[in-house]
């Protein structure tokens, strides 16, 4: 396959950056998107140019490190698929593919396609945990959990923190991520004591970090590689409002 | 409360509740409009009745002014939160994408902000036209039927009106469901039903409002 890549190149956070065009002559349809970038980087290194910086780790769709805006869609054209799990067979010979980093004020570009997502860590630190005395692990059946709650909590826990929801949101909101974390803990018995304060604290941090507000457009769910449903945001809203009415 | 107002979720709740107030008014307004099909007496009589409503308690037009004050409060809260959230959203993405393709967002969701601006501009004109009568070709207080038909007798006013109520329909379609979501009422089970209800309400309201200018333009009402 022949492809024309247009890749965002930016030396550092303060650099202006620009789109640079790279023709690719011999792309195998069996390559993953990241392998295709590896091939490009090898060529760049051989030519003595700077390789394109991009984030990745597991390359099997579970770590959440990879994240690219591919032709204007977070993680590319395939639904419920991370960029690392996207294969080149989903593109056609002769295509032009534009690759950009996530764009949001709380996600500054570090270099090329790499953004700093530690804003997510700040949100987690503010409430994405349970306070419990640790010790030896309790028996698995010591605390009964209703099956539907367990399923919904598990579904929310599948969030890998990739940031695609923020990248796709027209408001630059991280509500889907925040809601996934709050739902995951708020539905389980262990998460109950801090349920309302958690919602409040996480949303406050979310807002302070400069993420936008949710307008329920659903762009986030559509690109989320784990298919976190939009209802999780409704659940977070409900927890936050209920907590505010209680206090 | 202050903390709630500061948070984006709290602002959305305010937007949802004020929007619900406005929606209830819009439904009542649309139904009242249909009185025009029962003749001038029916419509003008209704206007008169509304002004005299509970007059011994609140005075002549008392209820009307109370309703206006409530509507104004809703409009101010709705617009303030909308502007604040829109500014936040803009600030959250200082550098945009060169290549951007919306995947999901419906047309109504994407046009909430500019649609809202169009509706607000229309409401200003509409109040000057029908309520105050200052830009109305007839403009006689109490002659609601004649004022309306005179206004829609000018095709461009009718077209502006039809455009605005269509924008209103789109606004309600996303806004009504979105309000349930913002208030945390929409769940996985209820979502489909709530979305369908929002669509139904939007279509009925728009159709009801459209019927009057169409009737005037086609000569059904004169
Ligand atoms: S909610 Fe989905 S898109 Fe957002 S960070 Fe989690 S996995 Fe990624
Ligand atoms: S590299 Fe781990 S999810 Fe893509």
């Amino acid at each position: 396959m022949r492809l024309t890549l247009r890749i965002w190149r930016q030396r550092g956070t303060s650099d202006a950056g620009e789109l640079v065009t790279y023709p690719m002559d011999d792309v195998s349809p069996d390559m993953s998107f990241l392998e295709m970038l590896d091939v490009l980087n090898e060529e760049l290194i051989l030519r003595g140019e700077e390789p394109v910086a991009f984030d990745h780790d597991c390359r099997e769709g579970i770590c959440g490190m990879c994240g690219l805006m591919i032709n204007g869609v977070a993680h590319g054209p395939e639904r419920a698929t991370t960029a690392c799990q996207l294969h080149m067979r989903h593109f056609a010979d002769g295509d032009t593919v534009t690759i950009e980093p996530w764009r949001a004020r709380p996600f500054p570009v570090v270099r090329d396609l790499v953004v700093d997502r530690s804003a997510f860590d700040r949100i987690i630190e503010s409430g994405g945990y349970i306070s419990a005395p640790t010790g030896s692990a309790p028996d698995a059946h010591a605390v009964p959990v209703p099956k539907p709650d367990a399923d919904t909590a598990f579904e929310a826990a599948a969030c890998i923190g990739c940031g695609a929801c923020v990248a796709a949101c027209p408001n630059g909101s991280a509500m889907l991520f925040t809601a996934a974390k709050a739902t995951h803990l708020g539905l389980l018995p262990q998460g109950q004591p801090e349920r309302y304060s958690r919602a409040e604290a996480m949303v406050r941090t979310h807002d302070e970090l400069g993420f936008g507000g949710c307008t329920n457009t659903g762009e986030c769910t559509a690109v989320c590689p784990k298919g976190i449903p939009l209802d999780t945001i409704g659940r977070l809203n409900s927890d936050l409002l209920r907590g505010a009415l209680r206090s | 409360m202050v903390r709630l107002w500061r948070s984006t979720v709290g602002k959305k709740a305010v937007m949802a509740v004020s929007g619900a107030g406005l929606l209830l008014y819009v439904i009542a307004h649309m139904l009242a409009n249909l009185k025009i099909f029962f003749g001038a007496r029916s419509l003008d009589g209704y206007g008169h009745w509304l002004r005299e409503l509970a007059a011994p308690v609140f005075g002549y037009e008392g209820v009307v002014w109370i309703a206006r004050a409530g509507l104004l409060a809703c409009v101010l809260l709705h617009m303030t939160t909308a502007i604040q959230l829109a500014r936040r959203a803009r600030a959250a993405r200082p550098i945009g994408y060169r290549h951007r393709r919306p995947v999901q967002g419906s047309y109504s969701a994407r046009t909430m902000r500019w649609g809202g601006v169009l509706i607000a501009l229309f409401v200003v004109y509409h109040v000057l036209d029908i309520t105050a009568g200052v830009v109305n070709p007839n403009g006689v207080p109490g002659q609601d039927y004649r004022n309306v038909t005179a206004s829609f007798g000018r095709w461009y006013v009718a077209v502006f009106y039809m455009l605005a109520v269509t924008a209103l329909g789109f606004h309600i379609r996303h806004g009504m469901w979105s309000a349930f979501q913002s208030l945390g009422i929409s769940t996985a089970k209820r979502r489909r039903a709530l979305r369908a209800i929002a669509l139904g309400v939007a279509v009925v309201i728009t159709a009801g409002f459209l019927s009057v200018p169409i009737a005037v333009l086609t000569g059904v009402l004169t």
Side-chain angles (χ1 to χ4, degrees), chain B residues 17-111:
Chain B
V17 172
S18 57
L22 293 170
L23 179 61
L24 289 177
Y25 169 75
V26 160
I27 292 173
H29 186 348
M30 187 277 286
L31 292 174
N33 277 7
L34 300 181
K35 283 193 169 283
I36 201 167
F37 292 104
F38 297 97
R41 265 253 201 96
S42 176
L43 188 71
D44 298 355
Y46 168 76
H48 189 66
W49 171 79
L50 210 59
R51 289 185 188 96
E52 299 236 293
L53 191 65
V57 189
F58 300 112
Y60 183 71
E61 286 200 339
V63 170
V64 174
W65 279 105
I66 293 171
R68 283 175 186 161
L71 286 173
L72 189 66
C74 284
V75 168
L76 288 178
L77 286 172
H78 206 71
M79 283 179 44
T80 309
T81 45
I83 292 167
Q84 288 177 336
L85 286 169
R87 293 185 57 165
R88 269 198 75 96
R90 190 150 304 170
R93 182 162 296 134
I95 301 167
Y97 295 105
R98 294 295 179 85
H99 184 132
R100 172 109 174 95
R101 201 158 59 79
V103 183
Q104 175 69 38
S106 63
Y107 182 75
S108 26
R110 266 182 277 140
T111 52

Side-chain angles (χ1 to χ4, degrees), chain A residues 120 159-165 176-177 224-226 228:
Chain A
F120 272 6
C159 165
I160 52 176
C162 63
C165 42
L176 194 67
F177 166 80
C224 173
K226 299 296 152 185
I228 304 292

Side-chain angles (χ1 to χ4, degrees), chain A residues 69 71-73 100-101 103-105 166-169 171 200 207 210-211 214-216 218-219 230-231 234 237 240, chain B residues 3 7-9 12 88-89 91-93 95 97-105 113 174 178 181-182 184 188 191:
Chain A
M69 208 67 175
N71 281 340
V73 179
E100 293 177 81
R103 293 285 189 202
R105 186 158 63 98
V166 176
C169 176
N171 307 301
E200 203 269 328
D207 292 349
F211 290 107
C214 172
T215 54
N216 310 320
E219 288 282 336
L230 205 54
D231 323 295
N237 293 341
L240 184 105
Chain B
R3 249 199 262 157
S7 89
T8 52
V9 177
K12 289 295 302 210
R88 269 198 75 96
R93 182 162 296 134
I95 301 167
Y97 295 105
R98 294 295 179 85
H99 184 132
R100 172 109 174 95
R101 201 158 59 79
V103 183
Q104 175 69 38
R113 286 175 187 146
H174 180 71
S178 187
Q181 170 82 352
S182 296
R191 185 169 67 195

Side-chain angles (χ1 to χ4, degrees), chain A residues 34 56-66 82 84 160:
Chain A
L34 301 190
H56 61 99
D57 187 16
C58 70
R59 296 207 176 195
E60 52 186 28
I62 55 170
C63 75
M65 273 309 278
C66 62
T82 52
C84 59
I160 52 176

